[in-house]
PDB file of all heavy atoms in Angstrom:
ATOM      1  N   SER Q   1       7.855  32.922  12.104  1.00  0.00           N
ATOM      2  CA  SER Q   1       7.708  31.554  11.596  1.00  0.00           C
ATOM      3  C   SER Q   1       8.744  30.713  12.320  1.00  0.00           C
ATOM      4  O   SER Q   1       8.538  29.414  12.300  1.00  0.00           O
ATOM      5  CB  SER Q   1       7.934  31.567  10.069  1.00  0.00           C
ATOM      6  OG  SER Q   1       9.328  31.823   9.761  1.00  0.00           O
ATOM      7  N   LEU Q   2       9.692  31.217  12.964  1.00  0.00           N
ATOM      8  CA  LEU Q   2      10.741  30.380  13.544  1.00  0.00           C
ATOM      9  C   LEU Q   2      10.402  29.701  14.900  1.00  0.00           C
ATOM     10  O   LEU Q   2       9.747  30.283  15.740  1.00  0.00           O
ATOM     11  CB  LEU Q   2      12.034  31.300  13.870  1.00  0.00           C
ATOM     12  CG  LEU Q   2      12.701  31.963  12.713  1.00  0.00           C
ATOM     13  CD1 LEU Q   2      13.874  32.817  13.145  1.00  0.00           C
ATOM     14  CD2 LEU Q   2      13.204  30.974  11.646  1.00  0.00           C
ATOM     15  N   ILE Q   3      10.770  28.456  14.945  1.00  0.00           N
ATOM     16  CA  ILE Q   3      10.659  27.661  16.133  1.00  0.00           C
ATOM     17  C   ILE Q   3      11.830  26.829  16.454  1.00  0.00           C
ATOM     18  O   ILE Q   3      12.678  26.680  15.518  1.00  0.00           O
ATOM     19  CB  ILE Q   3       9.392  26.732  16.151  1.00  0.00           C
ATOM     20  CG1 ILE Q   3       9.422  25.785  14.906  1.00  0.00           C
ATOM     21  CG2 ILE Q   3       8.069  27.524  16.152  1.00  0.00           C
ATOM     22  CD1 ILE Q   3       8.324  24.802  14.801  1.00  0.00           C
ATOM     23  N   GLY Q   4      12.002  26.236  17.600  1.00  0.00           N
ATOM     24  CA  GLY Q   4      13.115  25.449  17.935  1.00  0.00           C
ATOM     25  C   GLY Q   4      12.826  23.939  17.948  1.00  0.00           C
ATOM     26  O   GLY Q   4      11.719  23.462  17.562  1.00  0.00           O
ATOM     27  N   PRO Q   5      13.731  23.112  18.495  1.00  0.00           N
ATOM     28  CA  PRO Q   5      13.601  21.662  18.516  1.00  0.00           C
ATOM     29  C   PRO Q   5      12.405  21.324  19.329  1.00  0.00           C
ATOM     30  O   PRO Q   5      11.994  21.898  20.315  1.00  0.00           O
ATOM     31  CB  PRO Q   5      14.853  21.209  19.215  1.00  0.00           C
ATOM     32  CG  PRO Q   5      15.832  22.372  18.949  1.00  0.00           C
ATOM     33  CD  PRO Q   5      15.045  23.555  18.972  1.00  0.00           C
ATOM     34  N   GLU Q   6      11.714  20.197  18.935  1.00  0.00           N
ATOM     35  CA  GLU Q   6      10.623  19.628  19.651  1.00  0.00           C
ATOM     36  C   GLU Q   6       9.323  20.397  19.635  1.00  0.00           C
ATOM     37  O   GLU Q   6       8.239  19.999  20.116  1.00  0.00           O
ATOM     38  CB  GLU Q   6      10.949  19.305  21.046  1.00  0.00           C
ATOM     39  CG  GLU Q   6      12.174  18.278  21.253  1.00  0.00           C
ATOM     40  CD  GLU Q   6      11.879  16.921  20.671  1.00  0.00           C
ATOM     41  OE1 GLU Q   6      10.668  16.460  20.751  1.00  0.00           O
ATOM     42  OE2 GLU Q   6      12.850  16.200  20.175  1.00  0.00           O
ATOM     43  N   VAL Q   7       9.332  21.627  19.109  1.00  0.00           N
ATOM     44  CA  VAL Q   7       8.122  22.422  19.031  1.00  0.00           C
ATOM     45  C   VAL Q   7       7.318  22.004  17.781  1.00  0.00           C
ATOM     46  O   VAL Q   7       7.899  21.824  16.719  1.00  0.00           O
ATOM     47  CB  VAL Q   7       8.472  24.025  18.937  1.00  0.00           C
ATOM     48  CG1 VAL Q   7       7.233  24.705  18.778  1.00  0.00           C
ATOM     49  CG2 VAL Q   7       9.283  24.389  20.072  1.00  0.00           C
ATOM     50  N   PRO Q   8       5.981  21.750  18.028  1.00  0.00           N
ATOM     51  CA  PRO Q   8       5.178  21.321  16.791  1.00  0.00           C
ATOM     52  C   PRO Q   8       5.206  22.301  15.699  1.00  0.00           C
ATOM     53  O   PRO Q   8       5.126  23.504  15.881  1.00  0.00           O
ATOM     54  CB  PRO Q   8       3.847  21.125  17.450  1.00  0.00           C
ATOM     55  CG  PRO Q   8       4.060  20.963  18.864  1.00  0.00           C
ATOM     56  CD  PRO Q   8       5.238  21.816  19.205  1.00  0.00           C
ATOM     57  N   VAL Q   9       5.369  21.790  14.433  1.00  0.00           N
ATOM     58  CA  VAL Q   9       5.039  22.569  13.267  1.00  0.00           C
ATOM     59  C   VAL Q   9       3.551  22.646  13.126  1.00  0.00           C
ATOM     60  O   VAL Q   9       2.969  21.595  12.994  1.00  0.00           O
ATOM     61  CB  VAL Q   9       5.786  21.933  11.972  1.00  0.00           C
ATOM     62  CG1 VAL Q   9       5.215  22.594  10.681  1.00  0.00           C
ATOM     63  CG2 VAL Q   9       7.273  22.144  12.015  1.00  0.00           C
ATOM     64  N   THR Q  10       3.030  23.821  13.108  1.00  0.00           N
ATOM     65  CA  THR Q  10       1.609  23.991  13.203  1.00  0.00           C
ATOM     66  C   THR Q  10       1.059  24.266  11.778  1.00  0.00           C
ATOM     67  O   THR Q  10       1.475  25.302  11.160  1.00  0.00           O
ATOM     68  CB  THR Q  10       1.193  25.108  14.114  1.00  0.00           C
ATOM     69  OG1 THR Q  10       1.657  24.791  15.427  1.00  0.00           O
ATOM     70  CG2 THR Q  10      -0.356  25.154  14.206  1.00  0.00           C
ATOM     71  N   ILE Q  11       0.210  23.429  11.275  1.00  0.00           N
ATOM     72  CA  ILE Q  11      -0.382  23.681   9.975  1.00  0.00           C
ATOM     73  C   ILE Q  11      -1.695  24.483  10.195  1.00  0.00           C
ATOM     74  O   ILE Q  11      -2.578  23.996  10.793  1.00  0.00           O
ATOM     75  CB  ILE Q  11      -0.731  22.313   9.241  1.00  0.00           C
ATOM     76  CG1 ILE Q  11       0.522  21.515   8.943  1.00  0.00           C
ATOM     77  CG2 ILE Q  11      -1.570  22.581   7.957  1.00  0.00           C
ATOM     78  CD1 ILE Q  11       0.207  20.171   8.385  1.00  0.00           C
ATOM     79  N   PRO Q  12      -1.677  25.820   9.788  1.00  0.00           N
ATOM     80  CA  PRO Q  12      -2.840  26.711  10.086  1.00  0.00           C
ATOM     81  C   PRO Q  12      -4.109  26.144   9.443  1.00  0.00           C
ATOM     82  O   PRO Q  12      -4.133  25.429   8.394  1.00  0.00           O
ATOM     83  CB  PRO Q  12      -2.353  27.988   9.489  1.00  0.00           C
ATOM     84  CG  PRO Q  12      -0.944  27.862   9.348  1.00  0.00           C
ATOM     85  CD  PRO Q  12      -0.620  26.463   9.066  1.00  0.00           C
ATOM     86  N   LYS Q  13      -5.221  26.480  10.081  1.00  0.00           N
ATOM     87  CA  LYS Q  13      -6.550  26.081   9.633  1.00  0.00           C
ATOM     88  C   LYS Q  13      -6.735  26.545   8.120  1.00  0.00           C
ATOM     89  O   LYS Q  13      -7.379  25.827   7.343  1.00  0.00           O
ATOM     90  CB  LYS Q  13      -7.567  26.634  10.533  1.00  0.00           C
ATOM     91  CG  LYS Q  13      -8.997  26.287  10.113  1.00  0.00           C
ATOM     92  CD  LYS Q  13      -9.323  24.778  10.585  1.00  0.00           C
ATOM     93  CE  LYS Q  13     -10.822  24.474  10.407  1.00  0.00           C
ATOM     94  NZ  LYS Q  13     -11.092  23.107  10.735  1.00  0.00           N
ATOM     95  N   HIS Q  14      -6.074  27.627   7.855  1.00  0.00           N
ATOM     96  CA  HIS Q  14      -6.355  28.301   6.573  1.00  0.00           C
ATOM     97  C   HIS Q  14      -5.625  27.581   5.401  1.00  0.00           C
ATOM     98  O   HIS Q  14      -5.889  27.927   4.265  1.00  0.00           O
ATOM     99  CB  HIS Q  14      -5.900  29.770   6.649  1.00  0.00           C
ATOM    100  CG  HIS Q  14      -6.489  30.529   7.820  1.00  0.00           C
ATOM    101  ND1 HIS Q  14      -5.991  30.525   8.989  1.00  0.00           N
ATOM    102  CD2 HIS Q  14      -7.727  31.229   7.889  1.00  0.00           C
ATOM    103  CE1 HIS Q  14      -6.791  31.183   9.849  1.00  0.00           C
ATOM    104  NE2 HIS Q  14      -7.863  31.566   9.212  1.00  0.00           N
ATOM    105  N   VAL Q  15      -4.725  26.679   5.721  1.00  0.00           N
ATOM    106  CA  VAL Q  15      -4.051  25.849   4.671  1.00  0.00           C
ATOM    107  C   VAL Q  15      -4.380  24.473   4.884  1.00  0.00           C
ATOM    108  O   VAL Q  15      -3.516  23.511   4.724  1.00  0.00           O
ATOM    109  CB  VAL Q  15      -2.566  26.158   4.563  1.00  0.00           C
ATOM    110  CG1 VAL Q  15      -2.269  27.547   3.880  1.00  0.00           C
ATOM    111  CG2 VAL Q  15      -1.920  26.189   6.001  1.00  0.00           C
ATOM    112  N   GLN Q  16      -5.585  24.139   5.158  1.00  0.00           N
ATOM    113  CA  GLN Q  16      -6.123  22.817   5.197  1.00  0.00           C
ATOM    114  C   GLN Q  16      -7.299  22.741   4.255  1.00  0.00           C
ATOM    115  O   GLN Q  16      -7.953  23.781   3.900  1.00  0.00           O
ATOM    116  CB  GLN Q  16      -6.590  22.425   6.584  1.00  0.00           C
ATOM    117  CG  GLN Q  16      -5.503  22.474   7.647  1.00  0.00           C
ATOM    118  CD  GLN Q  16      -5.981  22.208   9.067  1.00  0.00           C
ATOM    119  OE1 GLN Q  16      -6.976  21.639   9.306  1.00  0.00           O
ATOM    120  NE2 GLN Q  16      -5.309  22.812  10.064  1.00  0.00           N
ATOM    121  N   PRO Q  17      -7.671  21.525   3.727  1.00  0.00           N
ATOM    122  CA  PRO Q  17      -7.071  20.259   4.030  1.00  0.00           C
ATOM    123  C   PRO Q  17      -5.730  20.104   3.438  1.00  0.00           C
ATOM    124  O   PRO Q  17      -5.367  20.666   2.426  1.00  0.00           O
ATOM    125  CB  PRO Q  17      -8.068  19.264   3.400  1.00  0.00           C
ATOM    126  CG  PRO Q  17      -8.632  20.022   2.217  1.00  0.00           C
ATOM    127  CD  PRO Q  17      -8.790  21.478   2.617  1.00  0.00           C
ATOM    128  N   VAL Q  18      -4.925  19.227   4.094  1.00  0.00           N
ATOM    129  CA  VAL Q  18      -3.534  19.106   3.727  1.00  0.00           C
ATOM    130  C   VAL Q  18      -3.400  18.447   2.399  1.00  0.00           C
ATOM    131  O   VAL Q  18      -2.353  18.623   1.689  1.00  0.00           O
ATOM    132  CB  VAL Q  18      -2.760  18.310   4.796  1.00  0.00           C
ATOM    133  CG1 VAL Q  18      -2.654  19.090   6.016  1.00  0.00           C
ATOM    134  CG2 VAL Q  18      -3.394  16.975   5.073  1.00  0.00           C
ATOM    135  N   ASP Q  19      -4.343  17.625   1.944  1.00  0.00           N
ATOM    136  CA  ASP Q  19      -4.200  16.979   0.552  1.00  0.00           C
ATOM    137  C   ASP Q  19      -4.350  17.944  -0.511  1.00  0.00           C
ATOM    138  O   ASP Q  19      -4.056  17.652  -1.662  1.00  0.00           O
ATOM    139  CB  ASP Q  19      -5.119  15.775   0.486  1.00  0.00           C
ATOM    140  CG  ASP Q  19      -6.569  16.157   0.575  1.00  0.00           C
ATOM    141  OD1 ASP Q  19      -6.894  17.299   0.910  1.00  0.00           O
ATOM    142  OD2 ASP Q  19      -7.427  15.223   0.394  1.00  0.00           O
ATOM    143  N   LYS Q  20      -4.922  19.170  -0.239  1.00  0.00           N
ATOM    144  CA  LYS Q  20      -4.977  20.225  -1.213  1.00  0.00           C
ATOM    145  C   LYS Q  20      -3.795  21.142  -1.127  1.00  0.00           C
ATOM    146  O   LYS Q  20      -3.136  21.516  -2.137  1.00  0.00           O
ATOM    147  CB  LYS Q  20      -6.282  21.056  -1.017  1.00  0.00           C
ATOM    148  CG  LYS Q  20      -6.325  22.316  -1.827  1.00  0.00           C
ATOM    149  CD  LYS Q  20      -7.521  23.147  -1.582  1.00  0.00           C
ATOM    150  CE  LYS Q  20      -7.540  24.400  -2.369  1.00  0.00           C
ATOM    151  NZ  LYS Q  20      -8.774  25.290  -2.098  1.00  0.00           N
ATOM    152  N   HIS Q  21      -3.426  21.531   0.110  1.00  0.00           N
ATOM    153  CA  HIS Q  21      -2.345  22.530   0.269  1.00  0.00           C
ATOM    154  C   HIS Q  21      -0.958  21.881   0.285  1.00  0.00           C
ATOM    155  O   HIS Q  21      -0.003  22.721   0.184  1.00  0.00           O
ATOM    156  CB  HIS Q  21      -2.678  23.324   1.604  1.00  0.00           C
ATOM    157  CG  HIS Q  21      -3.815  24.275   1.369  1.00  0.00           C
ATOM    158  ND1 HIS Q  21      -3.723  25.488   0.881  1.00  0.00           N
ATOM    159  CD2 HIS Q  21      -5.153  24.081   1.704  1.00  0.00           C
ATOM    160  CE1 HIS Q  21      -4.929  26.139   0.886  1.00  0.00           C
ATOM    161  NE2 HIS Q  21      -5.770  25.256   1.333  1.00  0.00           N
ATOM    162  N   LEU Q  22      -0.820  20.678   0.504  1.00  0.00           N
ATOM    163  CA  LEU Q  22       0.418  19.938   0.381  1.00  0.00           C
ATOM    164  C   LEU Q  22       1.563  20.532   1.180  1.00  0.00           C
ATOM    165  O   LEU Q  22       2.653  21.055   0.611  1.00  0.00           O
ATOM    166  CB  LEU Q  22       0.862  19.970  -1.122  1.00  0.00           C
ATOM    167  CG  LEU Q  22      -0.142  19.302  -2.105  1.00  0.00           C
ATOM    168  CD1 LEU Q  22       0.355  19.359  -3.559  1.00  0.00           C
ATOM    169  CD2 LEU Q  22      -0.413  17.843  -1.694  1.00  0.00           C
ATOM    170  N   PRO Q  23       1.494  20.604   2.455  1.00  0.00           N
ATOM    171  CA  PRO Q  23       2.623  21.018   3.383  1.00  0.00           C
ATOM    172  C   PRO Q  23       3.735  20.063   3.116  1.00  0.00           C
ATOM    173  O   PRO Q  23       3.536  18.837   3.117  1.00  0.00           O
ATOM    174  CB  PRO Q  23       2.050  20.987   4.804  1.00  0.00           C
ATOM    175  CG  PRO Q  23       0.820  20.158   4.672  1.00  0.00           C
ATOM    176  CD  PRO Q  23       0.245  20.234   3.331  1.00  0.00           C
ATOM    177  N   ASP Q  24       4.945  20.635   2.955  1.00  0.00           N
ATOM    178  CA  ASP Q  24       6.123  19.891   2.578  1.00  0.00           C
ATOM    179  C   ASP Q  24       7.356  20.245   3.429  1.00  0.00           C
ATOM    180  O   ASP Q  24       7.435  21.390   3.932  1.00  0.00           O
ATOM    181  CB  ASP Q  24       6.448  20.248   1.122  1.00  0.00           C
ATOM    182  CG  ASP Q  24       7.103  19.105   0.349  1.00  0.00           C
ATOM    183  OD1 ASP Q  24       7.598  18.139   0.934  1.00  0.00           O
ATOM    184  OD2 ASP Q  24       7.163  19.220  -0.852  1.00  0.00           O
ATOM    185  N   TYR Q  25       8.348  19.282   3.565  1.00  0.00           N
ATOM    186  CA  TYR Q  25       9.502  19.447   4.340  1.00  0.00           C
ATOM    187  C   TYR Q  25      10.695  19.884   3.315  1.00  0.00           C
ATOM    188  O   TYR Q  25      10.616  19.589   2.132  1.00  0.00           O
ATOM    189  CB  TYR Q  25       9.886  18.111   4.932  1.00  0.00           C
ATOM    190  CG  TYR Q  25       9.808  17.005   3.904  1.00  0.00           C
ATOM    191  CD1 TYR Q  25      10.833  16.711   2.958  1.00  0.00           C
ATOM    192  CD2 TYR Q  25       8.710  16.231   3.802  1.00  0.00           C
ATOM    193  CE1 TYR Q  25      10.751  15.732   2.008  1.00  0.00           C
ATOM    194  CE2 TYR Q  25       8.523  15.132   2.840  1.00  0.00           C
ATOM    195  CZ  TYR Q  25       9.568  15.021   1.952  1.00  0.00           C
ATOM    196  OH  TYR Q  25       9.465  14.057   0.987  1.00  0.00           O
ATOM    197  N   GLU Q  26      11.654  20.530   3.951  1.00  0.00           N
ATOM    198  CA  GLU Q  26      12.853  20.856   3.192  1.00  0.00           C
ATOM    199  C   GLU Q  26      13.984  21.048   4.159  1.00  0.00           C
ATOM    200  O   GLU Q  26      14.103  22.128   4.813  1.00  0.00           O
ATOM    201  CB  GLU Q  26      12.700  22.226   2.360  1.00  0.00           C
ATOM    202  CG  GLU Q  26      11.682  22.171   1.221  1.00  0.00           C
ATOM    203  CD  GLU Q  26      11.766  23.333   0.279  1.00  0.00           C
ATOM    204  OE1 GLU Q  26      12.601  24.314   0.576  1.00  0.00           O
ATOM    205  OE2 GLU Q  26      11.045  23.451  -0.674  1.00  0.00           O
ATOM    206  N   VAL Q  27      14.931  20.116   4.227  1.00  0.00           N
ATOM    207  CA  VAL Q  27      16.099  20.242   5.044  1.00  0.00           C
ATOM    208  C   VAL Q  27      17.043  21.235   4.423  1.00  0.00           C
ATOM    209  O   VAL Q  27      17.273  21.258   3.192  1.00  0.00           O
ATOM    210  CB  VAL Q  27      16.803  18.876   5.252  1.00  0.00           C
ATOM    211  CG1 VAL Q  27      17.194  18.318   3.931  1.00  0.00           C
ATOM    212  CG2 VAL Q  27      18.002  19.047   6.212  1.00  0.00           C
ATOM    213  N   GLU Q  28      17.634  22.184   5.314  1.00  0.00           N
ATOM    214  CA  GLU Q  28      18.459  23.201   4.736  1.00  0.00           C
ATOM    215  C   GLU Q  28      19.689  23.571   5.651  1.00  0.00           C
ATOM    216  O   GLU Q  28      19.428  23.693   6.892  1.00  0.00           O
ATOM    217  CB  GLU Q  28      17.648  24.527   4.507  1.00  0.00           C
ATOM    218  CG  GLU Q  28      16.394  24.261   3.751  1.00  0.00           C
ATOM    219  CD  GLU Q  28      16.052  25.347   2.752  1.00  0.00           C
ATOM    220  OE1 GLU Q  28      16.700  26.384   2.704  1.00  0.00           O
ATOM    221  OE2 GLU Q  28      15.006  25.177   2.042  1.00  0.00           O
ATOM    222  N   LEU Q  29      20.838  23.717   5.105  1.00  0.00           N
ATOM    223  CA  LEU Q  29      21.963  24.258   5.821  1.00  0.00           C
ATOM    224  C   LEU Q  29      21.700  25.741   6.007  1.00  0.00           C
ATOM    225  O   LEU Q  29      21.345  26.471   5.040  1.00  0.00           O
ATOM    226  CB  LEU Q  29      23.267  24.070   5.064  1.00  0.00           C
ATOM    227  CG  LEU Q  29      24.508  24.680   5.739  1.00  0.00           C
ATOM    228  CD1 LEU Q  29      24.844  24.084   7.087  1.00  0.00           C
ATOM    229  CD2 LEU Q  29      25.677  24.570   4.795  1.00  0.00           C
TER     230      LEU Q  29
END
C-alpha cells in the first residue's frame, strides 16, 4: 500500500463509485 511523494493515490476499480465507497484522507504522524 505504501507510496512516496507525487505518486498518485489509486482508487481501485473495486471500490468505485466513490460516492458509495467514500475514499477519505487522514494525516498521520
Side-chain angles (χ1 to χ4, degrees):
S1 71
L2 297 178
I3 56 175
E6 300 294 330
V7 178
V9 167
T10 303
I11 298 174
K13 183 73 173 178
H14 308 85
V15 282
Q16 297 176 29
V18 291
D19 59 354
K20 172 184 176 181
H21 288 275
L22 302 178
D24 209 348
Y25 48 80
E26 290 192 3
V27 59
E28 311 218 356
L29 175 64

